[in-house]
Amino acid sequence: MSNVTYTFDQKENDPQQWYWFQEGLSKEEVNQVIKLASELPIERATTLGDDGEVMAQNDPNGARSSMVKWIPQSDDWNWLYVRMMELAKEANDETWNFDLISADENIQYTEYYANENGHYDWHQDVGPGDLASKRKVSITLQLSEDDEYVGGDLEITGGGSGSGVLETAHVCPRGKGITVIFPSYMMHRVSPVTKGTRRSLVLWVGGSHYR
């Protein structure tokens, strides 16, 4: 008697790959975002500790140095949420095939300043807690032109430790409207900005644990 397995065919995925769009938003749409966001309050960015609690970051030489605004889920901003989630769905359908349900967190508008050593060291976007544990796909949409700042590269790696992280890191494309999407468990960083200001949007999509 032959060995027969009764299973459904599974679509392959590429769990260590990232995806990008040349024009996630048009330059006109980017300008609209910057104008609307100028009316929102700004605060210093924080990080999550190992216990999932928010940790303040006030040291330019610490893990993170940037300022953030939180874009509300309101009628004025609905089009942006819809667009970014459409980009996430296309990337996911092409690459990872995760079960994506929702975006439960607000879009983060971030500014990195050269005069404050703007950066974000190597980290993952997943973590403990009700929200961070349910992030599956991270979206970074760039609002600055390539020549508006020096440094500030988004770098992604699928593994490695110590100097090995740098050896395996991919420097992502940059420019106004370019959008990079990757699994939230992948290590990534924003290298120090040495001139100018880097502006970007970040959104996490998931809504349930990985599967």
Side-chain angles (χ1 to χ4, degrees):
M1 181 177 180
S2 61
N3 291 326
V4 178
T5 58
Y6 298 95
T7 60
F8 294 104
D9 290 337
Q10 299 295 311
K11 187 175 181 180
E12 292 185 3
N13 73 348
D14 194 345
Q16 297 289 79
Q17 187 58 268
W18 52 278
Y19 199 93
W20 70 286
F21 296 87
Q22 180 69 43
E23 189 177 276
L25 292 181
S26 68
K27 293 186 177 183
E28 291 76 17
E29 289 171 326
V30 168
N31 292 338
Q32 181 183 358
V33 168
I34 294 173
K35 181 179 179 180
L36 287 171
S38 68
E39 302 173 1
L40 298 174
I42 195 166
E43 61 190 58
R44 188 159 296 280
T46 60
T47 61
L48 291 178
D50 293 339
D51 57 0
E53 295 298 317
V54 173
M55 300 175 61
Q57 294 290 324
N58 296 310
D59 182 2
N61 297 314
R64 184 179 189 184
S65 175
S66 61
M67 301 295 289
V68 298
K69 302 181 179 188
W70 297 98
I71 294 177
Q73 298 185 16
S74 64
D75 290 343
D76 289 342
W77 291 102
N78 179 64
W79 67 274
L80 182 60
Y81 279 88
V82 170
R83 178 71 58 79
M84 293 182 74
M85 291 185 72
E86 287 174 345
L87 296 174
K89 182 180 186 306
E90 180 176 335
N92 184 60
D93 288 348
E94 289 291 326
T95 314
W96 312 294
N97 298 296
F98 299 139
D99 287 343
L100 298 185
I101 298 173
S102 60
D104 296 331
E105 300 174 75
N106 287 352
I107 295 171
Q108 179 181 270
Y109 173 104
T110 312
E111 295 184 342
Y112 296 87
Y113 309 129
N115 62 1
E116 294 189 1
N117 190 35
H119 69 282
Y120 198 166
D121 288 345
W122 290 107
H123 66 284
Q124 298 169 300
D125 287 340
V126 294
D130 182 56
L131 293 175
S133 66
K134 296 176 182 177
R135 297 171 178 173
K136 293 182 180 178
V137 172
S138 299
I139 312 165
T140 295
L141 197 157
Q142 299 175 46
L143 303 176
S144 301
E145 291 285 12
D146 176 55
D147 59 3
E148 291 180 19
Y149 62 100
V150 176
D153 286 316
L154 174 61
E155 302 177 10
I156 302 176
T157 182
S161 60
S163 61
V165 172
L166 296 176
E167 292 169 4
T168 61
H170 300 276
V171 178
C172 298
R174 49 189 276 170
K176 201 169 190 175
I178 285 178
T179 303
V180 177
I181 305 178
F182 53 93
S184 298
Y185 53 72
M186 292 187 72
M187 294 289 291
H188 58 285
R189 74 166 184 169
V190 175
S191 65
V193 176
T194 58
K195 182 179 180 181
T197 299
R198 177 189 187 273
R199 296 178 175 86
S200 63
L201 300 177
V202 174
L203 178 64
W204 304 279
V205 180
S208 67
H209 302 299
Y210 271 109
R211 59 177 182 174

